[in-house]
Amino acid sequence: MKLYLDLIMILNFLFDFFLLMGVSILLRRNVTIYRLLKGSSFGGVSILFLFFKMNSIELFLLKFIVSVVMVIVSFGYRDLKYTLKNLFYLYTSSLILGGFLYYLNVEFSYKQEGIVFYHSGLSINYIVLIFASPIIIYAYVKQGIYLKHNYSNYYKLNLDFGQGRLLHCSGFLDSGNLLEDPYHHHPIILIDHRKLIYDINEFKMVLVPISTANSSTLLRCIRIPKIEIVGVGIRENVLLGIMEQNITIDGVDVLLHTKLMEG
């Protein structure tokens, strides 16, 4: 079997470049393309160490040292936490991309020699890397940014209805929820009607006029003694509005009001 060293180095260089670019976008590192090229160049040249005789432990330590140097060259060194975070996302991205690459190789290859897969005499590592890797990294980064932006607005809630009636919910800080009681200006949080396990007829109802894009209506609300937003604190004088429509945000029972975060 022939191995073309220049192609292997180019393959490894591109692989490392896509990974470092993904980490840079995901963590919003303000670095230049030149620094990413330097880091991925070091990773590409490091493939030469694989031709030296060494055991698995030495090979693992060498790969770890190479990855540390790559992130320091690419993103600089500020402190240990900063470097470890860069390293963590580099390995996470590598696992995602490597897993997809291995899957595609297994699916479309008819022959394997070591870590090299063949299809019609051509190693498809090159084909997959050039065409599939940017798409995989893009999808991973896009999903990572979405999770980072949205799941930071998730909170655990404990709604206290009084008389020992407690409801545990998952809340989402909705910047679009600005509903308030027009008389006392108490904030209104909105609960999915499917989550409300108690009979609403047992509570004192308050009808609050609200305006939608198409019409005006009255929102049924319950005045609850207090709610606990885990990690934020306890809030009182809150109205619980009952949504007739289902909340479509993943895993969310309650839409919180921005005013509750002010203390």
Side-chain angles (χ1 to χ4, degrees), residues 104-235:
L104 293 174
N105 275 328
V106 171
E107 285 294 316
F108 297 103
S109 302
Y110 75 92
K111 182 180 178 183
Q112 175 184 355
E113 294 186 22
I115 61 173
V116 181
F117 298 80
Y118 295 90
H119 183 73
S120 300
L122 175 66
S123 171
I124 69 164
N125 293 63
Y126 306 108
I127 300 174
V128 171
L129 181 68
I130 293 173
F131 295 102
S133 295
I135 299 174
I136 295 169
I137 288 295
Y138 171 78
Y140 169 70
V141 169
K142 184 177 180 181
Q143 184 65 15
I145 293 175
Y146 170 81
L147 294 176
K148 188 175 180 181
H149 286 176
N150 288 276
Y151 281 84
S152 61
N153 292 325
Y154 278 68
Y155 296 89
K156 292 182 179 180
L157 304 177
N158 297 316
L159 306 183
D160 186 354
F161 290 85
Q163 300 179 358
R165 291 173 292 191
L166 195 66
L167 186 60
H168 304 287
C169 303
S170 176
F172 181 81
L173 181 57
D174 184 7
S175 59
N177 179 19
L178 302 175
L179 296 176
E180 292 183 349
D181 173 4
Y183 305 106
H184 302 96
H185 301 290
H186 293 157
I188 299 174
I189 62 175
L190 302 171
I191 187 170
D192 191 316
H193 65 97
R194 298 171 298 175
K195 184 64 177 180
L196 196 57
I197 60 176
Y198 302 116
D199 185 0
I200 61 174
N201 296 317
E202 300 178 4
F203 304 96
K204 182 180 179 180
M205 302 296 298
V206 178
L207 297 178
V208 177
I210 60 172
S211 298
T212 64
N214 300 321
S215 62
S216 297
T217 185
L218 294 175
L219 177 66
R220 295 185 301 166
C221 298
I222 301 173
R223 192 180 302 278
I224 55 178
K226 63 180 179 180
I227 70 169
E228 179 188 8
I229 307 174
V230 178
V232 177
I234 295 176
R235 301 291 184 262

Side-chain angles (χ1 to χ4, degrees), residues 26-185:
L26 190 59
L27 298 181
R28 296 184 178 181
R29 302 305 191 207
N30 187 21
V31 296
T32 61
I33 295 294
Y34 174 71
R35 297 199 64 165
L36 297 180
L37 290 173
K38 284 175 59 178
S40 52
S41 298
F42 180 80
V45 174
S46 67
I47 198 71
L48 297 174
F49 292 114
L50 297 179
F51 293 93
F52 294 94
K53 187 176 181 181
M54 60 184 69
N55 58 42
S56 58
I57 296 178
E58 292 172 338
L59 183 60
F60 170 78
L61 291 176
L62 178 62
K63 290 181 178 179
F64 179 76
I65 293 172
V66 168
S67 60
V68 171
V69 174
M70 282 176 55
V71 298
I72 292 178
V73 170
S74 301
F75 307 114
Y77 181 85
R78 296 183 181 180
D79 52 45
L80 182 60
K81 182 179 178 181
Y82 175 84
T83 302
L84 289 178
K85 189 172 184 179
N86 293 332
L87 192 64
F88 172 79
Y89 278 92
L90 177 67
Y91 274 105
T92 303
S93 303
S94 179
L95 289 173
I96 297 294
L97 182 57
F100 273 102
L101 181 64
Y102 180 80
Y103 170 77
L104 293 174
N105 275 328
V106 171
E107 285 294 316
F108 297 103
S109 302
Y110 75 92
K111 182 180 178 183
Q112 175 184 355
E113 294 186 22
I115 61 173
V116 181
F117 298 80
Y118 295 90
H119 183 73
S120 300
L122 175 66
S123 171
I124 69 164
N125 293 63
Y126 306 108
I127 300 174
V128 171
L129 181 68
I130 293 173
F131 295 102
S133 295
I135 299 174
I136 295 169
I137 288 295
Y138 171 78
Y140 169 70
V141 169
K142 184 177 180 181
Q143 184 65 15
I145 293 175
Y146 170 81
L147 294 176
K148 188 175 180 181
H149 286 176
N150 288 276
Y151 281 84
S152 61
N153 292 325
Y154 278 68
Y155 296 89
K156 292 182 179 180
L157 304 177
N158 297 316
L159 306 183
D160 186 354
F161 290 85
Q163 300 179 358
R165 291 173 292 191
L166 195 66
L167 186 60
H168 304 287
C169 303
S170 176
F172 181 81
L173 181 57
D174 184 7
S175 59
N177 179 19
L178 302 175
L179 296 176
E180 292 183 349
D181 173 4
Y183 305 106
H184 302 96
H185 301 290

